[in-house]
Structure formats: structure tokens, C-alpha cells
Amino acid sequence: MTAGRAGRAGFLVAMAAALATVTACGGPGGDPSPSSSQGAPKARDGAVARTDAISALRVAQKETGGAESARIEGTMELGAAMSMKQSGVLGWGDGVTGEMEIVYTGGSMGEALKQSGGDGTVLARYFKEEYYANMGDGFAANAGGKHWIRYAYADLAEMGGASGEVMADQIQNGTPQQGVNALLAAGDVVEVGKEDVRGVATTHYSGTVDVTELATTNSDLGEDELAALRKQLSQSGVETETVDIWVDENNLLVKKVERADTANGEMNSTVYYSDYGTEVAAQRPAADDTIDFRTLLKQQQGAAS
């Protein structure tokens, strides 16, 4: 494999890693539908029930955002593009930071990774202005011995075109409370009931976000929050999204399930959050084991010409 081909494969796979980790923070995974153990939402007056749910979600938004870090575990399916699972620790006190292991279990992205010499696993490390993706020994054998690709978010936005800008924006703004924000924007948010999630007592909330109605008075988000959510969903080709979250007695997000039709196919995702406030540790890879996104792109362009 030439350096140009290695760069092309590495570019595609690392992009997939970026998208996967974003959904880890914001929420995708593998439960195709929320738990039905509680049946339909409680039969209460609609306005009263929604007001109560909004009040509880406001507290969850504040407490989850203020925790600033958590252990994250999730799965995701996105049309024919990918199926994956991921785990790690992320912080969001001053930009998204931390480390995630992402394992591609199927789809075209997984195949691209294997074609680049990998085994389907990517280790990603996140920092305020950049992130790194370890592509494995197979990639390194065709990339001058370098295992890591460095992506500066500014470079993604500048050189990756519209898709690069979307991914950079989603990573930098992908925090657990985004799931709570989505429900606050939903006009039909309800409390489903009390449920156990991995042995933790939680309250289950559900709602549907319609991008075309995000500017209406049904939303309980501020203008800036609404604009950010509308941009994120629209960039992904999402018109409606169903969101379910489970919140514990400390008002912390424990589980989130999302389902939507996107520009890349149907998305089903589940993420679990635990160990809030845990220490976040991520070190930048050694410079001599890292190749920059810009360099890879130049190699690819040079090989093509």
C-alpha cells in the first residue's frame, strides 16, 4: 500500500472514529427501543405532566453538566455505514477531553479500517483543540511507522469540507447534557415512570424532537441552546429524533437512547453514564509516532496527481 492509499484509508476511518465518539458523548448505541416495562406514560393532565417533567429535566441538565466527567459505554448502528461499541472516560469542564476505545463491528467504516491494516479497533484521545486516533500496527506499517493521526479541529473545518466542519463541531459540543437539551426542546416530553438501569433506580423521560418546530414556544431551551441543537440535527440530515433518558436520584444522566433517520441511514444508539466526577487522564502521543491530518491529505493529493 502506498502512502497515498494509507492516508486515504486512514482519513476515512479516523473520520468515522470522530463521529462515533461524538455520539458516545451525546448518546448513540444499540437499544432499538426504550424499555417498555412501565407501559404507556402515566395518565395525568398533559400540561401538568409536561411542566413537572421540564422542571426535573432542568435540574438534570444542571447537575449532569456540572459533574464535568463520567465513564461512558455505548453502542451504535448507523445504516450500512457502521455498527460499533465504545468505552472510556471523557471530561467536559473545559472542552471535551479524555480517551475512548472504539470497536467497529460492521458496516463500511469497519471494512475501511480493516483495509487499512487495522483490526477494527481505534483508540481516540481528545483535547480542547485537537484529537488523536491510533490506527494500529497495520496502518503504521504503511505510514512510516506512525500509529497515530492528529486532527486539529480547525484543520477539519478548513480542509475536511462540510463533513469535517460538522464532525469538529459535534465533538467540541458533544456532552452528556445535550441529551437533556434535546428533551427540553421536545414538545411532547413526558415522564414514563420509574425503572432500574443496571441496578440503579431511575426516572425515565421520553420525547420527540422535530427540527422544523424547534423555534416554536413549545421549546424550553434558550435561543443559543436551540440554535446549537438545530444546527447539529440539521447537519446530520435529521428531521425528527426520538430521545429517551434515564435520570438517577442525584439528577444525573444514567442512560440515553436515540433513534432517528439521518442522511446516512437509520440511527439507533444507546449510551450508559457512570462514575461522574472521575479523573480524566489522556496524554498526547509521542511526536515521532504521530502523523498530522494535513500531511496525510497532502500525501493523498500527491498520489492522486
Side-chain angles (χ1 to χ4, degrees):
M1 181 184 292
T2 66
R5 290 180 62 191
R8 185 179 301 111
F11 173 84
L12 291 174
V13 176
M15 282 298 216
L19 175 60
T21 303
V22 172
T23 55
C25 287
D31 281 352
S33 61
S35 172
S36 59
S37 62
Q38 299 297 324
K42 296 178 179 179
R44 302 166 57 198
D45 177 80
V48 174
R50 183 175 187 277
T51 299
D52 290 348
I54 290 298
S55 296
L57 289 172
R58 280 291 186 192
V59 177
Q61 179 192 45
K62 178 181 178 180
E63 294 300 321
T64 298
E68 296 191 351
S69 68
R71 188 170 302 279
I72 297 171
E73 178 185 346
T75 58
M76 177 186 182
E77 297 176 356
L78 181 61
M82 74 170 82
S83 61
M84 48 74 68
K85 58 184 180 180
Q86 56 195 337
S87 62
V89 172
L90 289 178
W92 53 90
D94 183 23
V96 173
T97 59
E99 181 175 287
M100 297 290 292
E101 181 182 74
I102 303 163
V103 181
Y104 292 89
T105 55
S108 58
M109 295 301 184
E111 287 302 314
L113 181 59
K114 292 176 182 178
Q115 289 175 9
S116 75
D119 62 357
T121 300
V122 174
L123 184 65
R125 293 179 182 172
Y126 295 84
F127 302 91
K128 186 175 181 179
E129 304 294 341
E130 62 195 358
Y131 84 101
Y132 298 78
N134 188 322
M135 308 305 294
D137 292 338
F139 174 84
N142 297 288
K146 301 181 187 297
H147 293 81
W148 295 85
I149 304 173
R150 173 187 176 271
Y151 286 94
Y153 297 130
D155 289 346
L156 278 179
E158 177 186 349
M159 305 178 70
S163 61
E165 183 177 357
V166 170
M167 289 182 181
D169 181 72
Q170 288 182 333
I171 295 173
Q172 291 176 297
N173 295 289
T175 60
Q177 67 265 37
Q178 291 301 318
V180 184
N181 287 349
L183 275 187
L184 287 170
D188 63 346
V189 60
V190 294
E191 176 185 324
V192 178
K194 306 297 182 182
E195 302 176 18
D196 283 345
V197 175
R198 294 184 166 182
V200 177
T202 69
T203 304
H204 176 185
Y205 299 92
S206 181
T208 300
V209 180
D210 188 330
V211 175
T212 62
E213 297 180 357
L214 282 180
T216 71
T217 56
N218 283 335
S219 173
D220 282 84
L221 291 180
E223 291 184 7
D224 291 344
E225 294 171 317
L226 270 176
L229 180 61
R230 187 186 302 110
K231 177 181 178 182
Q232 185 180 52
L233 293 176
S234 297
Q235 287 173 333
S236 300
V238 174
E239 295 182 358
T240 61
E241 177 184 37
T242 301
V243 181
D244 288 79
I245 67 171
W246 288 256
V247 178
D248 70 11
E249 61 181 5
N250 296 313
N251 300 301
L252 296 172
L253 186 62
V254 174
K255 177 183 177 183
K256 178 183 164 195
V257 172
E258 290 179 301
R259 298 171 304 285
D261 290 326
T262 78
N264 293 310
E266 182 179 354
M267 179 195 74
N268 290 292
S269 109
T270 300
V271 178
Y272 295 91
Y273 304 91
S274 62
D275 295 336
Y276 279 95
T278 190
E279 182 180 355
V280 179
Q283 294 184 340
R284 287 176 172 80
D288 60 4
D289 196 24
T290 303
I291 187 168
D292 196 84
F293 164 69
R294 281 182 174 270
T295 301
L296 276 178
L297 197 58
K298 289 179 180 179
Q299 290 179 348
Q300 176 181 333
Q301 293 169 340
S305 62

